[in-house]
């Protein structure tokens, strides 16, 4: 019964990654019914849950099954994935609103925070990165230029929402 309840409450993210048989093995494993497939899928599901925010924040897409299979077969954990996100090639592939406004050290802290690690400023930097990805298109639309770090810091400290900032920029454009 417990396995059935777990199966009924599996997230859409995991439903999109695994087959029905794999999800059953996962729910059985979680409920204490050990199988080789259940152990494997549980390891992949746990890793997917931990690293999916990294993929969403940095690439704008969820981790794929192929990527997940490769990571698990290599014995990679969430912290290793976070460190990989901080490499220069991955930084270059990131959303420009993140890679252009943050240093590699800050990006590594964001990645480690997203992977569940503890960092000195990871939470604040993650919040700033999320705000940057929301504000950058608004700045391009309203000013013709991307968001600067000073503008980002100002928006963060004042607590303005992206909608409020867009209204302010539209007002400035209208006045001009």
């Amino acid at each position: 019964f417990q396995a059935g309840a777990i199966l009924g409450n599996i997230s859409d993210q995991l439903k999109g990654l695994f087959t029905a048989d794999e999800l059953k093995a996962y729910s059985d494993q979680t409920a204490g019914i050990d199988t080789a497939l259940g152990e494997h899928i549980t390891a992949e599901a746990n890793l997917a849950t931990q690293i999916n925010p990294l993929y969403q924040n940095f690439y704008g897409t969820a981790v794929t099954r192929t990527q997940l299979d490769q990571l698990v077969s290599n014995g990679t954990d969430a912290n290793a994935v976070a460190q990989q996100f901080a490499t220069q090639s991955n930084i270059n592939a990131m959303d420009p609103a993140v890679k252009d406004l943050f240093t590699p050290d800050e990006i590594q802290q964001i990645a480690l925070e997203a992977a569940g690690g503890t960092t000195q400023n990871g939470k604040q930097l993650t919040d700033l990165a999320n705000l940057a990805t929301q504000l950058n298109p608004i700045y391009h639309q309203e000013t013709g230029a991307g968001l600067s770090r000073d503008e980002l810091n100002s928006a963060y400290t004042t607590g303005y929402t992206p909608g409020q900032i867009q209204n302010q920029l539209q007002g400035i454009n209208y006045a001009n």
Side-chain angles (χ1 to χ4, degrees), residues 88-105:
Q88 192 59 47
S89 61
N90 281 329
I91 290 171
N92 292 339
M94 288 177 191
D95 185 326
V98 174
K99 77 173 186 175
D100 294 344
L101 295 176
F102 297 89
T103 67
D105 179 59

Side-chain angles (χ1 to χ4, degrees), residues 12-69:
D12 289 340
Q13 172 199 355
L14 296 181
K15 288 178 184 175
L17 288 172
F18 302 110
T19 66
D21 290 339
E22 291 170 333
L23 292 172
K24 170 114 175 56
Y26 168 75
S27 64
D28 287 348
Q29 183 71 30
T30 304
I33 304 168
D34 293 332
T35 64
L37 179 60
E39 288 178 18
H40 178 75
I41 297 302
T42 298
E44 286 198 4
N46 290 341
L47 183 61
T49 301
Q50 291 174 314
I51 67 171
N52 201 51
L54 290 170
Y55 279 80
Q56 290 289 352
N57 290 339
F58 291 108
Y59 296 133
T61 63
V63 64
T64 66
R65 178 65 187 266
T66 304
Q67 292 166 329
L68 194 57
D69 288 341

